[in-house]
């Protein structure tokens, strides 16, 4: 294990925010005292502008047309939900405040503030960094990849726990893959009344699914060469009884 857990390379806040946008399927919109929940209605431009396609009779369109200067203040909310069933499935929330303007039959949103709320606390994302950032290359494939790992390869997930410090596994009742990005895989360790997350970094970033497969094979090879943590051995013995 050694240094593998000491290196904690991870996406920046701006990259994480762009990844949430890329992977989210729905969003909540609040504008001028009205609120709508939209599904499959948003797209994101290369520089991070959000475009909403809403019905002509939407109250959001009315608010955009009738507001002074045609720019009502608004807040967009996105939830990053873990594709694998775990406790507290919402991994991150993204809030974007700004203004709407009608544009080519859609509502174009100009953000003036971007806030990423992670388990470690809220982070205000620099707008220039947000505009320059790109979503993680695995963001749109993450749900499929994690679901496949959890459903079809539970033995591989168990083997990966050999790379986790035994103290982190004490009292564990279930371990599930929580997240994956180009820098590493995160496992959710659930206990009877609590949970924690452990990140397993790749030896170098993965820019596509093919590279991710190679990185995962290296992690599994490292896990196979590691000893089985005592905490997990106790868990298996208790379960077998």
């Amino acid at each position: 294990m050694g240094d593998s857990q000491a290196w904690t390379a991870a996406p920046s806040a701006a990259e994480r925010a762009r990844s949430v946008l890329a992977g989210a399927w729905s969003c909540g919109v609040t504008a001028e005292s009205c609120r709508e929940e939209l599904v499959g209605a948003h797209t994101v431009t290369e520089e991070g502008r959000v475009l909403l396609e809403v019905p002509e009779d939407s109250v959001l369109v009315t608010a955009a047309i009738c507001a002074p200067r045609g720019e009502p203040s608004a807040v967009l909310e996105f939830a990053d939900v873990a594709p694998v069933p775990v406790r507290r499935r919402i991994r991150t929330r993204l809030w974007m405040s700004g203004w709407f303007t009608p544009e080519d039959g859609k509502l174009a949103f100009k953000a003036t503030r971007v806030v990423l709320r992670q388990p470690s606390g809220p982070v205000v994302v620099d707008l220039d960094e947000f505009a320059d950032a790109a979503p993680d290359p695995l963001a749109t494939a993450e749900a499929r990849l994690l679901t496949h790992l959890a459903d079809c390869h539970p033995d591989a997930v168990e083997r990966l726990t050999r790379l986790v410090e035994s103290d982190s596994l004490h009292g564990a009742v279930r371990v599930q893959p929580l997240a994956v990005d180009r820098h590493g895989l995160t496992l959710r360790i659930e206990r009877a009344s609590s949970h924690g997350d452990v990140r397993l970094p790749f030896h170098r970033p993965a820019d596509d699914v093919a590279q991710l497969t190679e990185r995962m094979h290296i992690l599994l090879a490292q896990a196979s060469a590691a000893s089985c943590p005592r905490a997990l051995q106790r868990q298996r013995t208790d379960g077998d009884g």
Side-chain angles (χ1 to χ4, degrees):
M1 191 166 61
D3 293 338
S4 63
Q5 282 183 276
W7 181 53
T8 56
S12 67
E15 291 169 336
R16 185 79 185 102
R18 292 296 297 268
S19 295
V20 172
L21 277 182
W25 181 243
S26 63
C27 69
V29 185
T30 303
E32 295 298 306
S33 300
C34 63
R35 180 176 175 85
E36 288 196 13
E37 298 290 338
L38 304 176
V39 178
H42 77 278
T43 55
V44 185
T45 66
E46 185 173 340
E47 67 275 13
R49 282 201 313 148
V50 178
L51 304 177
L52 291 181
E53 188 168 350
V54 297
E56 293 182 359
D57 59 352
S58 169
V59 293
L60 297 177
V61 174
T62 302
I65 293 175
C66 298
R69 302 188 310 278
E71 295 185 350
S73 60
V75 175
L76 272 59
E77 302 175 42
F78 299 87
D80 173 30
V81 183
V84 175
V86 293
R87 293 180 188 153
R88 298 187 181 181
R89 292 186 69 173
I90 297 180
R91 303 178 297 190
T92 308
R93 290 186 184 274
L94 177 67
W95 284 280
M96 303 175 67
S97 56
W99 291 270
F100 275 130
T101 54
E103 181 180 297
D104 298 329
K106 298 182 180 180
L107 292 179
F109 183 77
K110 177 178 176 58
T112 57
R113 183 177 174 87
V114 176
V115 179
L116 189 68
R117 182 164 186 175
Q118 305 176 106
S120 57
V123 177
V124 177
V125 181
D126 181 85
L127 293 177
D128 290 335
E129 292 179 5
F130 178 79
D132 292 338
D136 188 89
L138 304 175
T140 57
E142 184 193 28
R144 171 176 56 84
L145 295 167
L146 291 180
T147 301
H148 178 77
L149 178 60
D151 293 347
C152 301
H153 302 286
D155 56 326
V157 176
E158 179 176 331
R159 198 189 324 166
L160 287 170
T161 62
R162 298 183 181 187
L163 298 176
V164 178
E165 294 178 0
S166 58
D167 288 348
S168 297
L169 290 171
H170 183 72
V173 296
R174 186 172 71 158
V175 179
Q176 290 277 54
L178 176 70
V180 69
D181 56 61
R182 67 193 300 259
H183 297 288
L185 173 73
T186 301
L187 300 178
R188 167 64 54 84
I189 301 173
E190 296 183 349
R191 305 175 186 87
S193 58
S194 64
H195 66 269
D197 300 334
V198 174
R199 187 169 177 81
L200 303 179
F202 301 140
H203 68 285
R204 65 169 60 97
D207 293 328
D208 53 39
V209 174
Q211 290 185 7
L212 172 66
T213 300
E214 186 266 346
R215 307 298 189 264
M216 288 295 298
H217 284 166
I218 291 177
L219 281 183
L220 288 168
Q222 292 172 345
S224 296
S227 60
C228 187
R230 293 179 181 177
L232 192 61
Q233 287 177 329
R234 286 199 299 270
Q235 174 192 336
R236 255 203 315 269
T237 301
D238 294 342
D240 292 342

